[in-house]
Amino acid sequence: MSEKNRPSSIDKAQAHPYPDMSYREAEGIPNIEPLFNDAFIRIFGREESRGITRSLINAVLSHANIEPIDEIVSIEAEHTSLEGSINCKAPRMDVRIIATNRRVIDLKAQCYPEDIENRSLLYASQLMSANTMRGTKFKDIPQVIVITLLDDAALFPDTSEYVSTCQLGWHNDDKQIQATDRMLFVLVELEKVRKRYNLLDDEVLGDELLSWLYLLTSGFNKSEEASAIMDAFPDIEEFAKMYGYALNDPKVVRAYADFESAEREYQSRKDYFERVEREAKERGFKHGQEKGLEMGIEQGLQQGLQQGLEQGLQRGLEQGLQQGLEQGLQRGLEQGLEQSIAALRAVGMDEAADLLEHQAGTNRA
């Protein structure tokens, strides 16, 4: 579309047969997001969806610098919870598209990032195997592209780019060499789009992929914004009709009701187990404090007793040594005096010996 024909603001939006969400909410019909698994399948996974599905895929491929697809040969949804299980996520594809030149696309909206790499590899392997006929030459095997719209926390939060690509390659001397283009992976991180493009402005209306992502994440809520986007990109006009079909499909509505019920049940159980865990931790902490206090008192008594014994022994030893020194000194003096008296008597100095003996007796008294 030329710049002359592109609207510059949502005020120039033209009327489209877009579902009036406020009216539907007033009637009690849930406001189902287009990225809800079953709604996504109903919008993009039917034969009548070829036009808008091709538009979305090529907008993603163009941003990822991958050759766009020409025509869709077949389109089908491999899974859904429409057959009974609640929002099932079996290891099968969401929307499978076979395009001209034997190109196979797996288009899916993913609500959690766990093991997304291995999950995507499994999908690609299944598609390649299913679409390779016996006897096909290796150079003629189909090209498989897995496109994931990640509707959860960003997988690469440290970068601002919201589209990432991956393909098989060789590593040689710190260089990466493309091995094959038969298997490609494209990841679109919607959290980054929500944070960066939270208003419908000229930048969004000037980019087809941004317009698609804005429409799928928030623009579907307001008919004037959806109309502005569809005015800017006529290939997206069919979205209104396909989204209306999804909103009016009893199976989709029932699946969404089951999903909300399961989500409430999950949150209720999660809250219950978190409360039980929190209370258990509190009880454990209190018990630990009480036990620690008891052990502290007991250990303190033991340490006090041990310290008292050690100090008592030390004190007794010091006193014993002091007493021994005093007794030894006294005994030495006594023995020396006795020897001195005996020596005096031996040489006939009895008077001197008597005087010394009398003096010693006076001191002891």
Side-chain angles (χ1 to χ4, degrees):
M1 175 175 286
S2 67
E3 293 295 331
K4 181 179 179 180
N5 294 328
R6 178 174 290 122
S8 59
S9 70
I10 62 173
D11 294 332
K12 297 181 180 180
Q14 302 297 318
H16 279 276
Y18 190 80
D20 186 340
M21 298 310 300
S22 60
Y23 169 78
R24 297 184 63 81
E25 291 174 354
E27 293 295 317
I29 301 175
N31 184 5
I32 302 174
E33 297 183 7
L35 293 172
F36 171 63
N37 223 21
D38 299 276
F40 188 82
I41 294 298
R42 184 64 182 83
I43 295 169
F44 295 102
R46 299 292 185 91
E47 284 294 330
E48 60 268 27
S49 308
R50 290 190 183 194
I52 61 169
T53 302
R54 177 178 175 273
S55 172
L56 175 58
I57 289 174
N58 281 341
V60 174
L61 296 182
S62 176
H63 194 96
N65 295 317
I66 299 174
E67 181 184 356
I69 61 175
D70 292 328
E71 299 294 334
I72 293 179
V73 178
S74 67
I75 180 172
E76 62 179 326
E78 283 288 332
H79 109 283
T80 82
S81 58
L82 299 180
E83 301 305 323
S85 62
I86 298 178
N87 200 34
C88 73
K89 274 289 186 181
R92 293 186 288 175
M93 286 62 69
D94 288 319
V95 179
R96 184 178 68 183
I97 298 100
I98 299 178
T100 53
N101 299 325
R102 293 188 60 75
R103 302 179 75 192
V104 183
I105 313 293
D106 170 26
L107 175 65
K108 56 192 175 73
Q110 189 74 45
C111 62
Y112 51 94
E114 285 80 8
D115 288 330
I116 193 169
E117 298 90 349
N118 292 333
R119 183 186 297 268
S120 297
L121 183 63
L122 174 61
Y123 295 162
S125 301
Q126 288 178 328
L127 283 175
M128 181 171 288
S129 176
N131 289 276
T132 301
M133 304 298 294
R134 179 178 295 181
T136 300
K137 297 178 181 179
F138 289 116
K139 66 183 183 65
D140 295 328
I141 61 176
Q143 182 187 53
V144 175
I145 304 175
V146 177
I147 299 175
T148 303
L149 306 181
L150 180 60
D151 190 24
D152 198 72
L155 194 63
F156 308 113
D158 296 332
T159 64
S160 59
E161 178 56 52
Y162 56 89
V163 176
S164 302
T165 60
C166 175
Q167 67 181 86
L168 300 178
W170 302 102
H171 289 273
N172 188 340
D173 293 333
D174 296 328
K175 296 180 180 179
Q176 184 170 344
I177 305 171
Q178 177 179 313
T180 176
D181 67 345
R182 296 296 88 187
M183 192 176 289
L184 302 175
F185 304 91
V186 183
L187 175 69
V188 182
E189 298 173 285
L190 299 179
E191 181 186 63
K192 295 179 180 179
V193 177
R194 284 191 175 95
K195 289 182 177 180
R196 184 174 177 182
Y197 304 100
N198 55 5
L199 294 175
L200 183 62
D201 54 20
D202 290 344
E203 183 180 4
V204 175
L205 289 172
D207 185 290
E208 185 173 5
L209 179 57
L210 277 179
S211 291
W212 259 120
L213 300 180
Y214 187 91
L215 179 63
L216 293 175
T217 56
S218 60
F220 70 92
N221 277 312
K222 299 178 180 179
S223 59
E224 65 272 17
E225 291 191 340
S227 296
I229 291 172
M230 290 184 286
D231 276 340
F233 299 98
D235 287 344
I236 305 180
E237 286 185 357
E238 286 293 306
F239 173 81
K241 181 171 66 175
M242 302 308 299
Y243 184 41
Y245 288 160
L247 294 178
N248 286 282
D249 189 327
K251 292 183 178 179
V252 174
V253 174
R254 185 171 65 249
Y256 188 75
D258 290 342
F259 166 75
E260 286 192 318
S261 176
E263 183 68 16
R264 285 192 298 270
E265 182 68 19
Y266 167 77
Q267 289 298 333
S268 177
R269 292 185 179 185
K270 181 181 178 181
D271 292 343
Y272 169 74
F273 286 115
E274 287 179 350
R275 178 172 58 82
V276 170
E277 182 181 9
R278 184 173 61 253
E279 292 175 352
K281 287 181 179 179
E282 291 174 354
R283 290 195 300 270
F285 181 73
K286 183 178 180 181
H287 178 71
Q289 283 184 317
E290 295 173 350
K291 190 67 176 178
L293 181 60
E294 294 176 0
M295 293 176 62
I297 294 174
E298 181 178 353
Q299 186 175 1
L301 289 173
Q302 291 177 352
Q303 290 179 348
L305 178 61
Q306 180 67 23
Q307 187 175 2
L309 289 173
E310 291 175 355
Q311 291 178 352
L313 289 173
Q314 181 67 23
R315 181 72 177 215
L317 179 60
E318 293 175 355
Q319 292 178 354
L321 288 173
Q322 181 65 26
Q323 185 176 2
L325 288 173
E326 294 175 354
Q327 291 177 352
L329 179 59
Q330 179 67 28
R331 181 61 178 165
L333 291 174
E334 291 177 353
Q335 289 179 351
L337 183 62
E338 291 175 354
Q339 292 175 0
S340 296
I341 294 173
L344 290 174
R345 293 189 187 280
V347 295
M349 298 177 66
D350 292 331
E351 292 182 4
D354 292 338
L355 180 60
L356 183 59
E357 188 174 20
H358 175 73
Q359 184 65 38
T362 302
N363 291 337
R364 283 196 292 268

